[in-house]
Amino acid sequence: MASISIKGLTKSFNAGDDAPAAVANLDLDIKDNQFVTLLGPSGCGKTTTLRMIAGYILPDAGTIHVDGRLVSAPGNVVPPDQRGMGMVFQNYAVWPHKTVYQNVVFGLKLRKMPAARLKAKMEETLALVNLTGLEQRYPNELSGGQQQRVALARSLVVEPEILLLDEPLSNLDAKLRENMRVELKRLQRRTGITFVYVTHDQAEALALSDHIAVMHGGRLQQYGTPQDVYARPANRVVADFMGLVNLVPAKVAGPGTLEAAGGLKLQVALPDGIKTGDSVEVSIRPENIRLNAAGNGAPATVSERTFLGNITEYYASLDSGPTLRVQTHPAQVFAVGDKVAVEIDATQCSVFRSSAP
Ligand code: ATP
């Protein structure tokens, strides 16, 4: 379908005051036929970025190309309806007084499509989003998930090359959200449309995306595959945002050797420029820590245990050291107060300079 190339994209809403830019100098290359997610906490600039791609917000600086065609540069802005993009919003934005059919057919009628083609296109689109049979219902006769599918159908029926989705699942309950995730991914694969998806939910981003752009404070922190951003975070902001993590202060004791309080020693790959004597933080995911009843590992005491069904979560307090959050298979059972040895898979740890953002 279509690629998007963003260079130096910048937007400040309150020019002149000290507030940081909503989006600052963003570079992003989105390949065609990809599912790309803009991920980050509330206020990090995701929606502003999406709306600049759509053409609803004018950037202060930077360019946007779609398939090599310039659609946005200061003083040279292609209007939203000429960008070949559809948009789906969190609140569905379907017309309450129109039926499913009337909601979806609207875009085709504007294009004055011949009746036979229009009918075929409507049938195809409604089937694509599993709405066949519900054509005559009004939105208030549909579930939240069905209403969101109407919104999707309305965008898809006009065959956009790019679909922009702004937290489209956040009004749905947890179970439905998971079902819709699977449907969205399937939809993207079947249509080949480039999806740009905004969410603050890292699990959603990991499940859906080919690539994730992690944003914070209006800036891009990392752009990579879900595996990259989860297992190889570029900095502590990304490590912290992409799921549970223990961020432990440590000192570089020698080449590739870290020492932390509580007798914790790790052999790790150090990033360039970090040398013996430097203070660092090491990020350790809870699932990369093992608790042993005895044997190798730093001595610790179990201070909390929570059974979560598929996993059990422990807090293990290293003797005169930090407390680590640990996730294990539920078959492995320790009691609060048990003495354990903590073993860490250092190959899965990331190291950041202490002063890193
Ligand atoms: P959320 O997940 O809460 O929607 P977001 O990451 O999408 O957040 P944006 O909506 O892009 O964040 O907002 C980025 C920053 O720009 C925020 O500080 C926000 O307050 C500010 N902002 C957004 N829209 C406007 C506006 N129209 N006028 C002034 N400031 C705005």
Side-chain angles (χ1 to χ4, degrees):
M1 281 286 172
S3 62
I4 307 172
S5 174
I6 296 172
K7 291 258 175 307
L9 200 64
T10 300
K11 178 73 190 176
S12 285
F13 287 102
N14 304 303
D17 72 11
D18 287 342
V23 176
N25 205 17
L26 180 78
D27 292 344
L28 203 58
D29 270 313
I30 298 174
K31 295 201 168 54
D32 69 345
N33 191 9
Q34 284 239 314
F35 199 127
V36 168
T37 298
L38 309 180
L39 173 71
S42 181
C44 73
K46 309 178 295 288
T47 295
T48 304
T49 302
L50 200 73
R51 287 176 169 269
M52 288 195 281
I53 296 173
Y56 296 124
I57 292 180
L58 293 184
D60 299 332
T63 56
I64 304 172
H65 286 82
V66 171
D67 261 352
R69 178 172 77 107
L70 182 69
V71 299
S72 181
N76 184 2
V77 174
V78 175
D81 61 340
Q82 289 167 31
R83 293 191 183 194
M85 301 179 189
M87 189 140 177
V88 177
F89 301 92
Q90 179 177 351
N91 60 1
Y92 320 140
V94 294
W95 289 299
H97 56 285
K98 288 186 196 283
T99 63
V100 168
Y101 188 91
Q102 290 164 339
N103 261 285
V104 178
V105 83
F106 185 77
L108 294 183
K109 288 214 160 146
L110 283 182
R111 289 174 186 212
K112 305 203 179 359
M113 191 178 262
R117 255 196 77 205
L118 182 145
K119 185 167 177 288
K121 188 73 204 157
M122 281 298 289
E123 281 171 7
E124 178 196 317
T125 307
L126 292 170
L128 195 62
V129 298
N130 285 328
L131 283 174
T132 307
L134 301 180
E135 291 84 346
Q136 298 315 318
R137 297 246 193 119
Y138 285 89
N140 67 0
E141 297 169 329
L142 299 173
S143 70
Q146 288 165 338
Q147 288 184 46
Q148 191 53 286
R149 290 208 286 264
V150 176
L152 275 169
R154 207 174 53 182
S155 297
L156 291 170
V157 78
V158 294
E159 299 181 348
E161 299 203 304
I162 294 165
L163 192 60
L164 308 174
L165 303 105
D166 194 353
E167 309 235 15
L169 306 185
S170 55
N171 282 348
L172 307 178
D173 67 51
K175 189 92 187 154
L176 194 53
R177 207 156 56 218
E178 262 183 45
N179 292 341
M180 282 293 287
R181 259 188 217 168
V182 178
E183 282 189 36
L184 275 181
K185 190 159 178 155
R186 206 175 286 151
L187 198 62
Q188 193 276 329
R189 296 279 180 264
R190 282 174 66 185
T191 57
I193 295 172
T194 305
F195 274 34
V196 186
Y197 189 93
V198 160
T199 184
H200 60 268
D201 181 335
Q202 50 93 10
E204 202 162 282
L206 289 173
L208 282 170
S209 318
D210 295 311
H211 280 85
I212 300 176
V214 186
M215 296 180 68
H216 187 88
R219 294 185 177 274
L220 182 67
Q221 304 293 319
Q222 186 169 2
Y223 186 44
T225 63
Q227 290 79 1
D228 278 343
V229 292
Y230 186 81
R232 296 280 165 244
N235 57 39
R236 73 187 302 282
V237 169
V238 178
D240 203 16
F241 194 74
M242 297 305 302
L244 297 175
V245 73
N246 297 284
L247 284 165
V248 177
K251 268 243 174 312
V252 182
T257 307
L258 297 184
E259 282 181 11
L264 202 59
K265 280 203 172 104
L266 295 171
Q267 283 300 127
V268 293
L270 290 174
D272 288 347
I274 290 188
K275 53 188 191 316
T276 302
D278 282 354
S279 295
V280 295
E281 272 183 306
V282 56
S283 97
I284 312 167
R285 299 266 182 224
E287 68 272 23
N288 296 323
I289 305 177
R290 262 228 316 259
L291 301 182
N292 301 316
N296 285 343
T301 306
V302 173
S303 53
E304 228 177 280
R305 180 180 75 182
T306 310
F307 175 65
L308 296 171
N310 58 337
I311 50 167
T312 300
E313 186 166 273
Y314 293 98
Y315 283 83
S317 302
L318 291 166
D319 297 351
S320 51
T323 295
L324 300 176
R325 203 163 171 171
V326 182
Q327 290 179 341
T328 67
H329 191 277
Q332 195 191 25
V333 181
F334 295 101
V336 171
D338 278 1
K339 299 285 180 199
V340 290
V342 170
E343 208 182 338
I344 293 171
D345 182 354
T347 63
Q348 300 302 312
C349 294
S350 302
V351 178
F352 311 118
R353 197 179 288 284
S354 281
S355 57

